Amino acid sequence: MRTLARLIGALALLVCTSVAYAADRTLPPDEDRFLNVPLPNIPLTTAAGERTDVAGVSGGHPLLLALVFTRCAGVCSPFLFSWRAADRWVPQREPVARLVLSFDPRDTTDDMAEFARHLGVSHDRSWTFGVAAPDDVRRLADAVGFWYDWDPSRQQFDHPAMLAAARHGRVIRLFVGTAIPSARLDELTREAAGEFVASYPLPGRSTFRCVQYDPRTGRVSLDWGSALLLVPVVAIVLTTGVMFRRARRVRPFYRLPSSSS
Amino acid sequence: MPEVLAVDQYTPRLVRVTITWVLTALVLFPVLAILGLLMRTLQAGYMAAVPPEWFYAVMTLHGLGMVGLWFVAGMAGISVLLARYVRPTIAVSWIAFGATLAGVLLLVAATLVGRLGVGWYFLYPLPFHSGGTWPGWATAFLFAALAIMGVGWTLWAGDLLWAIARRYRLTDALGWQYLRGGGTPEVPPIVIIATVSFIGVLAGLVAAVVVLALVAAEQMTTGFTNDALLIKNLTFYFGHMLVNITMYFGVAMVYEVMPAYTGRPWKSNALVAASWNLVLLLVMFAYLHHLYMDFAQPQWLQVTGQLASYLISVPAAIVTIFSTLMLVHGSDMKWKLPSLMLYLGVMGWAIGGVAAVIDSTVMVNSRFHNTLWVPAHFHTYYVMGVVLMILGTVFHLAGELSKISESAASTRAIVSTVAVGGYGFLLMFYLAGVAGVPRRYASYPAEAAQGIVYAKLSLLFIALLLVGALVYIWETGRRCVRSLA
């Protein structure tokens, strides 16, 4: 009986854990939890066959990192193409290292070299494609909040599309999405280079906003919410005025003779 | 001299409610101070088993408690001093007392039971994102406490302003007759400062009402989201106003009580009137210096914040400080405990004010923001400023009512322990702030290890300060009890 109870307990725990695990997988990585987290300096082999590590690829420069797999029938290739396309529009202020690492243990350096050729960056020294030991890749992925699960029914990995920006070996910013616009990539690159990049909420999310920001022009303008800041002043001016006028009528005997008029 | 109202049957009823306020404050003060001592103990690396969420819960109760405590103590002190010239409604003071007690109970439950750790400014949206640290009811208790106390304090401030309105015209209460070159009707400085202060308090409380309404709208409806920047502006409008006005209450007490020890009257004049009218204007904008780090705030508002913060120090602080020095210089000064505390309070206000002006400079704030410099300056003008002014006034009133004469030995003990303990405690904050030690850290990481040393040293000074405070509480408490009898 006790064994059965333990078994039920263990199964319940397993179910709960699985549910929680599955629930986590439905959400994109939460950037706030990973900011300033050190990137593990894992060893890797580049598509050219060179053995190096993450710090070696970075070379002291800001690092942009994407985790992909070459047999992906989904988002990997479109995401990398959107990155490549956006990259052409981003002004190059200082050298940036770009690392595309496979999380599929089946991928070889040749697969990654073919991927780089397909993307048209095989001769671009700022782009590094590579593979690494599965455990090392898992550590790196965990550090930036990237997750991947093998789906045997589809024979594909389930995973988000994500770009992580790092500076001095620490996570600075994450971008999650199927395609990266040039404006976002520019912000990511600037922030990775140490520049302060302001963030702003999506328009139309709150009714009373103090200011509105136009990301195209960079202009900040006052919005209706700022009118609420005047409420205390207007309310107290009116209240004080009414109070003192009314008090003179209610208790005129309280005033000193010299103050009456 | 301004016409003083006669002592009548109103006076003992006013004394009773005031002493109730004072005794409550004298009980809460050491309790809240010990919470501060506990925070520094945790930062010193002792009691490592205490989880950090307790630090933040204690920080919230300490901060909200001290801000609220000295505000109501200031209001009670001003009420009794104003009663020489006007007649506030005693029942309203009792209502405010009940509302304050209810609010304190809710806050104690939210923080010490619910472990609410949002800080005294409860910055939106933090109360609603506890990450599992505190339950939803603790947040509800916080806002309920603010609402209840807000209603009580609004009634109280409104009644005091109404009492002034029943005797003076608004222009007279603001001292405009002095600005026009006249001198009649003669209005004591405390009436001018109180009028400015109550208008400010009510404006701040209206801002709090707007915050509560916006937060309630978000919680009770769907599809309505608040703008964090708007709520932050309104919250600091309310919070900064309340803290600033508490200091003005202290200053008003100095104006009213100090002449009893200098033997010289402190009359209103054009300078006093001009300075406090300017304060009324500038205090509406000074809060903006709390938002320097909010890059989305338009630059012209940041510039306004710096200008208002600089300018407000001229009329309120400089005029009062130099006037105090002129009042004392060459006078037949009686250095008793109240006058010493009032004088030290003005000194603390000056020192804390300079530290505040330094921090309100945008370029400096970008370095000092969220370092221990911030608690250093606000503790200076609180602990060694307005608190001393209020305590000095309370001792003055309690001494007059009880007729118990002052002991020179206890005066020396109180003043020396409070001065050495207080400034030693503050110095540790300042030095840590200059070293860049961050504020609001439950424990310090290796990068801020200096903070541990400063926290350890501060424990000695806080203990000394507490000894002085306890001697004061004993001396004042027995005078209050005698007054009631």
Side-chain angles (χ1 to χ4, degrees), chain A:
Chain A
M1 192 64 186
R2 185 177 290 174
T3 311
L4 183 65
R6 281 181 181 166
L7 187 64
I8 292 169
L11 279 172
L13 188 65
L14 186 66
V15 169
C16 290
T17 313
S18 306
V19 169
Y21 194 69
D24 280 346
R25 296 312 204 214
T26 63
L27 299 171
D30 180 1
E31 186 186 58
D32 291 346
R33 292 180 55 212
F34 298 97
L35 293 183
N36 214 34
V37 169
L39 276 186
N41 187 25
I42 63 164
L44 59 95
T45 308
T46 68
E50 182 191 350
R51 295 186 68 81
T52 180
D53 53 24
V54 173
V57 172
S58 163
H61 300 300
L63 177 74
L64 297 179
L65 165 72
L67 291 160
V68 299
F69 73 112
T70 60
R71 290 167 184 76
C72 182
V75 74
C76 286
S77 190
F79 179 70
L80 288 182
F81 270 102
S82 83
W83 180 7
R84 179 79 183 99
D87 215 24
R88 293 196 183 99
W89 295 99
V90 174
Q92 297 297 312
R93 295 173 185 84
E94 69 166 286
V96 176
R98 298 163 181 83
L99 174 60
V100 181
L101 197 64
S102 171
F103 56 81
D104 185 349
R106 297 171 299 174
D107 277 337
T108 63
T109 52
D110 288 344
D111 292 333
M112 294 305 282
E114 180 54 35
F115 214 171
R117 263 193 299 280
H118 182 58
L119 198 63
V121 294
S122 52
H123 299 297
D124 189 336
R125 292 173 63 83
S126 71
W127 288 81
T128 304
F129 282 64
V131 295
D135 288 347
D136 288 339
V137 175
R138 178 68 71 181
R139 279 200 299 132
L140 188 66
D142 287 347
V144 296
F146 184 87
W147 50 267
Y148 51 98
D149 292 321
W150 177 247
D151 181 352
S153 64
R154 290 170 45 239
Q155 292 291 298
Q156 286 284 304
F157 281 98
D158 191 14
H159 67 94
M162 195 179 101
L163 200 57
R167 182 164 179 258
H168 300 318
R170 288 177 183 267
V171 178
I172 293 295
R173 206 160 182 178
L174 301 180
F175 171 84
V176 183
T178 52
I180 181 161
S182 55
R184 296 293 83 71
L185 183 65
D186 185 36
E187 289 172 359
L188 212 66
T189 312
R190 281 158 54 203
E191 189 136 7
E195 190 180 325
F196 172 70
V197 177
S199 61
Y200 53 88
L202 295 171
R205 290 287 291 273
S206 53
T207 315
F208 299 110
R209 291 193 55 74
C210 259
V211 290
Q212 280 293 3
Y213 173 69
D214 185 343
R216 287 175 301 138
T217 61
R219 283 190 60 195
V220 173
S221 54
L222 287 180
D223 201 30
W224 283 108
S226 57
L228 287 178
L229 292 173
L230 299 175
V231 169
V233 177
V234 173
I236 198 58
V237 167
L238 291 174
T239 307
T240 307
V242 169
M243 184 185 280
F244 274 80
R245 285 185 74 85
R246 192 168 163 74
R248 290 178 66 194
R249 287 202 292 268
V250 174
R251 294 283 174 89
F253 59 86
Y254 230 104
R255 286 181 287 127
L256 291 170
S258 53
S259 72
S260 57
S261 59

Side-chain angles (χ1 to χ4, degrees), chain B residues 43-301:
Chain B
Q43 288 178 326
Y46 302 119
M47 302 169 71
V50 176
E53 54 264 37
W54 274 108
F55 173 88
Y56 295 105
V58 166
M59 184 183 81
T60 303
L61 184 56
H62 172 79
L64 272 171
M66 284 295 195
V67 167
L69 167 68
W70 295 113
F71 173 74
V72 295
M75 287 281 282
I78 283 289
S79 300
V80 77
L81 292 175
L82 268 181
R84 297 178 68 196
Y85 311 102
V86 298
R87 286 283 187 255
T89 314
I90 291 168
V92 173
S93 185
W94 281 116
I95 291 169
F97 183 75
T100 306
L101 274 192
V104 168
L105 289 176
L106 287 170
L107 283 179
V108 168
T111 50
L112 297 188
V113 181
R115 286 194 282 181
L116 180 88
V118 294
W120 79 266
Y121 44 83
F122 53 90
L123 208 53
Y124 172 89
L126 180 60
F128 304 100
H129 296 273
S130 72
T133 306
W134 61 84
W137 66 259
T139 299
F141 272 32
L142 167 75
F143 285 106
L146 293 172
I148 292 168
M149 288 192 288
V151 169
W153 297 352
T154 304
L155 285 174
W156 200 10
D159 178 68
L160 286 161
L161 195 59
W162 175 250
I164 292 172
R166 274 161 38 188
R167 175 161 179 177
Y168 302 101
R169 293 193 310 177
L170 180 59
T171 49
D172 293 342
L174 289 171
W176 288 9
Q177 66 275 34
Y178 298 106
L179 299 178
R180 288 192 294 262
T184 54
E186 203 169 341
V187 176
I190 190 171
V191 170
I192 297 175
I193 303 170
T195 305
V196 166
S197 300
F198 297 140
I199 291 173
V201 166
L202 289 170
L205 289 168
V206 170
V209 169
V210 179
V211 170
L212 290 174
L214 287 172
V215 167
E218 182 171 338
Q219 296 303 309
M220 293 173 185
T221 60
T222 51
F224 180 84
T225 310
N226 275 304
D227 176 20
L229 187 62
L230 173 63
I231 301 280
K232 186 173 181 181
N233 268 285
L234 287 164
T235 305
F236 275 105
Y237 187 98
F238 154 70
H240 184 268
M241 188 74 83
L242 214 66
V243 169
N244 250 35
I245 296 298
T246 304
M247 288 190 284
Y248 300 156
F249 289 155
V251 175
M253 292 173 192
V254 174
Y255 274 90
E256 187 67 13
V257 176
M258 204 62 157
Y261 296 89
T262 58
R264 291 172 172 171
W266 200 336
K267 290 183 177 178
S268 295
N269 53 37
L271 191 61
V272 169
S275 67
W276 287 99
N277 278 273
L278 205 51
V279 165
L280 180 58
L281 177 71
L282 293 172
V283 79
M284 302 289 166
F285 305 101
Y287 84 92
L288 289 165
H289 62 227
H290 288 277
L291 288 104
Y292 286 158
M293 292 294 124
D294 294 87
F295 53 82
Q297 189 92 331
Q299 197 176 16
W300 62 269
L301 277 178

Side-chain angles (χ1 to χ4, degrees), chain B residues 337 340-341 344 410-420:
Chain B
L337 183 60
L340 281 165
M341 290 185 115
L344 282 173
S410 62
T411 297
R412 271 196 299 274
I414 292 166
V415 171
S416 56
T417 50
V418 166
V420 175

Side-chain angles (χ1 to χ4, degrees), chain B residues 379-423:
Chain B
H379 276 91
T380 309
Y381 53 63
Y382 244 67
V383 181
M384 298 308 289
V386 69
V387 172
L388 292 186
M389 295 175 192
I390 293 172
L391 293 182
T393 303
V394 166
F395 194 89
H396 167 80
L397 294 170
E400 274 190 347
L401 290 167
S402 67
K403 311 289 184 207
I404 297 177
S405 58
E406 192 178 315
S407 149
S410 62
T411 297
R412 271 196 299 274
I414 292 166
V415 171
S416 56
T417 50
V418 166
V420 175
Y423 278 106

Side-chain angles (χ1 to χ4, degrees), chain B residues 422-439:
Chain B
Y423 278 106
F425 150 69
L426 294 169
L427 185 65
M428 297 305 111
F429 266 154
Y430 279 115
L431 292 174
V434 170
V437 176
R439 68 190 283 216

